[in-house]
Amino acid sequence: MSETLSNDWNPETYLRFRGLRLQPALDLIGRVGHLPGRGAVVDLGCGTGVVGPVLRERFAGRKVIGVDLSPAMLAQAEAMGIYDHLAQVDAAEWQSEAPPALLFSNAALQWLGDHETLFPRLVGQLASGGVLAVQMPRQTDGPSHVLLRQVAAALFPERFADAAPKPAVLEPAAYFDLLSPFGAVTIWETIYQQHLQPAADGHPVRAFTRATVARPILERLNEEETGRFLAAYDEALAVSYPLRPDGTVIFPFRRLFMVLETG
Protein backbone atom coordinates (compact mmCIF):
# COMPACT_ATOMS: atom_id res chain seq x y z
CA MET A 1 0.00 0.00 0.00
CA SER A 2 1.28 3.46 -0.80
CA GLU A 3 0.58 5.98 1.93
CA THR A 4 2.35 8.70 3.84
CA LEU A 5 4.26 7.48 6.86
CA SER A 6 2.61 9.99 9.24
CA ASN A 7 -0.48 7.82 9.54
CA ASP A 8 0.41 4.22 8.92
CA TRP A 9 -1.92 1.39 7.93
CA ASN A 10 -3.45 -0.89 10.55
CA PRO A 11 -2.67 -4.48 9.50
CA GLU A 12 -5.07 -6.01 12.02
CA THR A 13 -8.03 -4.01 10.71
CA TYR A 14 -7.10 -4.70 7.11
CA LEU A 15 -6.73 -8.44 7.68
CA ARG A 16 -10.25 -8.82 9.09
CA PHE A 17 -11.35 -9.50 5.51
CA ARG A 18 -8.26 -11.39 4.40
CA GLY A 19 -10.16 -14.03 2.42
CA LEU A 20 -12.30 -11.55 0.51
CA ARG A 21 -9.28 -9.41 -0.33
CA LEU A 22 -7.21 -12.43 -1.39
CA GLN A 23 -9.72 -13.94 -3.83
CA PRO A 24 -9.22 -11.27 -6.54
CA ALA A 25 -5.46 -11.83 -6.31
CA LEU A 26 -5.95 -15.55 -6.87
CA ASP A 27 -8.17 -14.84 -9.85
CA LEU A 28 -5.54 -12.51 -11.30
CA ILE A 29 -2.67 -14.97 -10.77
CA GLY A 30 -4.70 -17.60 -12.59
CA ARG A 31 -4.68 -15.44 -15.72
CA VAL A 32 -0.89 -14.95 -15.82
CA GLY A 33 0.61 -17.20 -18.46
CA HIS A 34 4.15 -17.63 -19.74
CA LEU A 35 6.96 -15.59 -18.20
CA PRO A 36 10.41 -14.98 -19.68
CA GLY A 37 13.22 -17.25 -18.60
CA ARG A 38 14.81 -14.72 -16.30
CA GLY A 39 13.54 -12.10 -13.91
CA ALA A 40 11.99 -11.78 -10.48
CA VAL A 41 8.35 -11.59 -9.46
CA VAL A 42 7.54 -8.24 -7.85
CA ASP A 43 4.56 -7.86 -5.52
CA LEU A 44 3.95 -4.11 -5.92
CA GLY A 45 2.02 -2.81 -2.93
CA CYS A 46 2.45 -6.11 -1.10
CA GLY A 47 0.85 -4.93 2.14
CA THR A 48 0.89 -7.66 4.79
CA GLY A 49 2.16 -10.18 2.24
CA VAL A 50 -0.95 -12.34 1.98
CA VAL A 51 -0.31 -12.89 -1.73
CA GLY A 52 3.36 -13.77 -1.20
CA PRO A 53 2.89 -17.51 -0.54
CA VAL A 54 0.71 -17.86 -3.64
CA LEU A 55 3.24 -16.06 -5.81
CA ARG A 56 6.03 -18.22 -4.38
CA GLU A 57 4.17 -21.43 -5.16
CA ARG A 58 2.88 -20.36 -8.58
CA PHE A 59 6.26 -19.07 -9.79
CA ALA A 60 8.59 -21.48 -8.00
CA GLY A 61 12.28 -20.91 -8.53
CA ARG A 62 11.98 -17.16 -9.03
CA LYS A 63 13.03 -14.44 -6.63
CA VAL A 64 9.96 -12.81 -5.02
CA ILE A 65 10.22 -9.14 -4.05
CA GLY A 66 7.71 -7.16 -2.01
CA VAL A 67 7.34 -3.38 -2.32
CA ASP A 68 5.30 -1.22 0.05
CA LEU A 69 5.55 2.14 1.83
CA SER A 70 3.91 1.10 5.12
CA PRO A 71 6.35 -0.04 7.84
CA ALA A 72 3.56 -1.81 9.74
CA MET A 73 2.45 -3.74 6.68
CA LEU A 74 6.03 -4.64 5.75
CA ALA A 75 6.68 -5.93 9.27
CA GLN A 76 3.80 -8.37 8.81
CA ALA A 77 5.10 -9.36 5.37
CA GLU A 78 8.62 -9.95 6.70
CA ALA A 79 7.31 -12.17 9.50
CA MET A 80 5.88 -14.53 6.88
CA GLY A 81 9.40 -15.38 5.68
CA ILE A 82 8.27 -15.64 2.06
CA TYR A 83 9.91 -12.71 0.29
CA ASP A 84 13.53 -12.73 -0.82
CA HIS A 85 13.61 -8.97 -0.42
CA LEU A 86 11.27 -6.26 0.89
CA ALA A 87 11.60 -2.62 -0.16
CA GLN A 88 10.02 0.27 1.74
CA VAL A 89 9.26 2.70 -1.03
CA ASP A 90 6.28 4.38 -2.66
CA ALA A 91 5.12 2.30 -5.62
CA ALA A 92 4.97 5.49 -7.69
CA GLU A 93 8.71 6.02 -7.15
CA TRP A 94 9.90 2.41 -7.11
CA GLN A 95 12.62 1.52 -9.57
CA SER A 96 13.66 -2.07 -10.18
CA GLU A 97 17.34 -2.92 -9.87
CA ALA A 98 16.95 -5.58 -12.55
CA PRO A 99 14.11 -6.06 -15.07
CA PRO A 100 11.40 -8.24 -13.47
CA ALA A 101 9.57 -11.00 -15.30
CA LEU A 102 6.30 -10.15 -13.56
CA LEU A 103 5.00 -6.96 -11.99
CA PHE A 104 2.00 -8.02 -9.91
CA SER A 105 -0.20 -5.53 -8.05
CA ASN A 106 -3.33 -6.44 -6.13
CA ALA A 107 -5.52 -3.56 -4.88
CA ALA A 108 -2.71 -1.02 -4.51
CA LEU A 109 -2.33 1.20 -7.56
CA GLN A 110 -5.75 2.82 -7.04
CA TRP A 111 -4.11 4.83 -4.26
CA LEU A 112 -1.79 6.48 -6.78
CA GLY A 113 -2.65 9.18 -9.28
CA ASP A 114 -1.59 9.92 -12.85
CA HIS A 115 -2.02 6.41 -14.20
CA GLU A 116 -1.38 7.75 -17.69
CA THR A 117 2.25 8.20 -16.61
CA LEU A 118 2.52 5.46 -13.98
CA PHE A 119 1.49 2.45 -16.06
CA PRO A 120 3.84 3.05 -19.03
CA ARG A 121 6.62 3.69 -16.51
CA LEU A 122 6.01 0.32 -14.85
CA VAL A 123 5.85 -1.47 -18.19
CA GLY A 124 9.15 0.12 -19.15
CA GLN A 125 10.86 -1.69 -16.27
CA LEU A 126 9.79 -5.19 -17.37
CA ALA A 127 12.15 -7.72 -18.85
CA SER A 128 11.64 -8.53 -22.51
CA GLY A 129 8.52 -10.65 -22.69
CA GLY A 130 7.57 -9.67 -19.13
CA VAL A 131 4.05 -9.42 -17.76
CA LEU A 132 2.16 -6.69 -15.91
CA ALA A 133 -0.82 -7.98 -13.89
CA VAL A 134 -2.99 -5.49 -11.99
CA GLN A 135 -6.21 -5.58 -9.99
CA MET A 136 -7.87 -2.45 -8.61
CA PRO A 137 -11.23 -1.78 -6.97
CA ARG A 138 -13.59 0.27 -9.15
CA GLN A 139 -16.21 0.97 -6.51
CA THR A 140 -16.17 4.78 -6.49
CA ASP A 141 -19.80 5.01 -7.64
CA GLY A 142 -21.03 2.21 -5.36
CA PRO A 143 -23.25 3.16 -2.39
CA SER A 144 -20.52 2.14 0.06
CA HIS A 145 -18.22 4.85 -1.28
CA VAL A 146 -20.79 7.47 -2.30
CA LEU A 147 -22.33 7.42 1.18
CA LEU A 148 -18.93 8.03 2.76
CA ARG A 149 -18.62 11.28 0.85
CA GLN A 150 -22.23 12.33 1.34
CA VAL A 151 -22.28 11.73 5.09
CA ALA A 152 -18.96 13.52 5.59
CA ALA A 153 -20.16 16.52 3.55
CA ALA A 154 -23.49 16.68 5.42
CA LEU A 155 -21.92 16.56 8.89
CA PHE A 156 -18.78 18.59 8.22
CA PRO A 157 -19.43 20.79 5.16
CA GLU A 158 -16.54 23.08 6.05
CA ARG A 159 -14.06 20.23 5.57
CA PHE A 160 -15.55 17.90 2.99
CA ALA A 161 -16.75 18.87 -0.45
CA ASP A 162 -19.98 17.25 -1.65
CA ALA A 163 -18.71 16.80 -5.20
CA ALA A 164 -17.42 13.35 -6.12
CA PRO A 165 -13.64 13.29 -6.59
CA LYS A 166 -12.05 12.43 -9.87
CA PRO A 167 -11.68 8.63 -9.78
CA ALA A 168 -8.09 7.45 -9.56
CA VAL A 169 -9.05 4.35 -11.54
CA LEU A 170 -9.76 5.05 -15.19
CA GLU A 171 -12.32 3.45 -17.48
CA PRO A 172 -11.25 0.02 -18.79
CA ALA A 173 -10.86 1.33 -22.34
CA ALA A 174 -8.35 3.91 -21.13
CA TYR A 175 -6.06 1.17 -19.82
CA PHE A 176 -6.39 -0.73 -23.07
CA ASP A 177 -5.24 2.37 -24.94
CA LEU A 178 -2.38 2.88 -22.48
CA LEU A 179 -1.10 -0.69 -22.57
CA SER A 180 -1.87 -2.09 -26.02
CA PRO A 181 1.13 -0.39 -27.68
CA PHE A 182 3.35 -2.61 -25.48
CA GLY A 183 1.82 -6.00 -26.24
CA ALA A 184 -1.28 -8.17 -25.81
CA VAL A 185 -3.76 -6.83 -23.25
CA THR A 186 -6.60 -8.64 -21.49
CA ILE A 187 -8.99 -6.51 -19.42
CA TRP A 188 -12.06 -7.58 -17.50
CA GLU A 189 -14.25 -6.61 -14.55
CA THR A 190 -15.82 -8.77 -11.86
CA ILE A 191 -18.50 -7.83 -9.35
CA TYR A 192 -17.90 -9.95 -6.26
CA GLN A 193 -21.03 -10.66 -4.25
CA GLN A 194 -19.25 -10.54 -0.91
CA HIS A 195 -20.98 -12.17 2.04
CA LEU A 196 -19.98 -10.09 5.06
CA GLN A 197 -20.39 -11.51 8.54
CA PRO A 198 -22.02 -9.51 11.38
CA ALA A 199 -19.76 -6.84 12.87
CA ALA A 200 -19.64 -6.07 16.58
CA ASP A 201 -18.77 -2.43 15.92
CA GLY A 202 -21.35 -1.31 13.36
CA HIS A 203 -22.67 -2.22 9.92
CA PRO A 204 -20.65 -4.98 8.19
CA VAL A 205 -19.93 -2.77 5.16
CA ARG A 206 -18.57 -0.07 7.45
CA ALA A 207 -16.21 -2.63 8.97
CA PHE A 208 -14.98 -3.43 5.44
CA THR A 209 -14.47 0.15 4.24
CA ARG A 210 -13.01 1.50 7.47
CA ALA A 211 -9.62 -0.13 6.83
CA THR A 212 -9.25 1.34 3.36
CA VAL A 213 -11.37 3.94 1.58
CA ALA A 214 -12.73 5.54 4.79
CA ARG A 215 -9.24 6.28 6.14
CA PRO A 216 -8.79 9.70 4.48
CA ILE A 217 -12.03 10.90 6.11
CA LEU A 218 -11.48 9.38 9.54
CA GLU A 219 -7.96 10.80 9.75
CA ARG A 220 -9.46 14.32 9.72
CA LEU A 221 -11.94 13.73 12.54
CA ASN A 222 -11.50 13.81 16.31
CA GLU A 223 -12.95 11.13 18.58
CA GLU A 224 -16.33 12.80 19.06
CA GLU A 225 -16.68 13.59 15.36
CA THR A 226 -15.70 10.04 14.44
CA GLY A 227 -18.50 8.66 16.59
CA ARG A 228 -21.10 10.90 14.95
CA PHE A 229 -19.82 10.15 11.48
CA LEU A 230 -19.79 6.37 11.94
CA ALA A 231 -23.30 6.38 13.43
CA ALA A 232 -24.66 8.34 10.46
CA TYR A 233 -22.75 6.17 7.99
CA ASP A 234 -24.13 3.01 9.62
CA GLU A 235 -27.66 4.37 9.31
CA ALA A 236 -27.21 5.17 5.62
CA LEU A 237 -25.59 1.81 4.89
CA ALA A 238 -28.51 -0.04 6.47
CA VAL A 239 -30.78 1.37 3.75
CA SER A 240 -28.51 0.49 0.81
CA TYR A 241 -27.28 -2.80 2.27
CA PRO A 242 -30.06 -4.17 4.51
CA LEU A 243 -29.07 -6.78 7.06
CA ARG A 244 -30.17 -10.33 6.44
CA PRO A 245 -32.00 -12.21 9.24
CA ASP A 246 -28.68 -13.62 10.49
CA GLY A 247 -27.04 -10.16 10.58
CA THR A 248 -24.92 -10.72 7.48
CA VAL A 249 -24.90 -8.60 4.33
CA ILE A 250 -24.42 -9.26 0.62
CA PHE A 251 -22.01 -6.54 -0.51
CA PRO A 252 -21.49 -6.22 -4.30
CA PHE A 253 -17.98 -4.95 -5.01
CA ARG A 254 -16.60 -4.17 -8.48
CA ARG A 255 -12.96 -4.85 -9.36
CA LEU A 256 -10.99 -4.17 -12.55
CA PHE A 257 -8.32 -6.57 -13.83
CA MET A 258 -5.72 -6.31 -16.56
CA VAL A 259 -2.89 -8.48 -17.81
CA LEU A 260 -0.32 -7.19 -20.30
CA GLU A 261 2.00 -9.66 -22.01
CA THR A 262 4.75 -7.62 -23.58
CA GLY A 263 6.05 -8.52 -27.01
Side-chain angles (χ1 to χ4, degrees), residues 16-179:
R16 288 178 63 179
F17 300 94
R18 173 174 178 157
L20 295 177
R21 301 190 196 281
L22 179 60
Q23 186 59 55
L26 300 178
D27 296 343
L28 180 60
I29 290 172
R31 298 290 289 269
V32 175
H34 176 74
L35 296 182
R38 288 188 172 186
V41 170
V42 177
D43 188 359
L44 196 58
C46 64
T48 59
V50 294
V51 184
V54 186
L55 292 172
R56 170 69 70 191
E57 180 179 0
R58 173 69 171 78
F59 304 105
R62 292 184 185 269
K63 187 176 182 180
V64 179
I65 298 170
V67 177
D68 206 284
L69 186 58
S70 165
M73 292 290 207
L74 286 173
Q76 292 266 348
E78 184 175 15
M80 298 184 71
I82 293 295
Y83 294 92
D84 295 291
H85 177 67
L86 289 167
Q88 184 183 327
V89 61
D90 192 320
E93 300 174 357
W94 172 79
Q95 181 69 43
S96 177
E97 295 181 0
L102 172 64
L103 275 178
F104 183 91
S105 184
N106 182 61
L109 299 186
Q110 75 275 7
W111 295 104
L112 306 179
D114 192 15
H115 284 188
E116 295 89 343
T117 300
L118 174 65
F119 275 68
R121 178 180 173 276
L122 292 176
V123 174
Q125 300 190 52
L126 287 169
S128 178
V131 174
L132 174 71
V134 175
Q135 182 274 124
M136 297 179 291
R138 207 162 83 87
Q139 185 73 3
T140 303
D141 295 331
S144 57
H145 292 40
V146 171
L147 290 172
L148 275 171
R149 301 190 297 266
Q150 290 180 344
V151 170
L155 291 178
F156 312 105
E158 72 283 1
R159 272 176 281 176
F160 299 99
D162 198 358
K166 179 183 177 181
V169 179
L170 308 174
E171 292 292 323
Y175 291 105
F176 183 86
D177 291 339
L178 274 175
L179 298 177

Side-chain angles (χ1 to χ4, degrees), residues 119 170-187 256-260:
F119 275 68
L170 308 174
E171 292 292 323
Y175 291 105
F176 183 86
D177 291 339
L178 274 175
L179 298 177
S180 57
F182 301 100
V185 183
T186 303
I187 297 179
L256 175 65
F257 299 78
M258 63 198 76
V259 175
L260 165 69

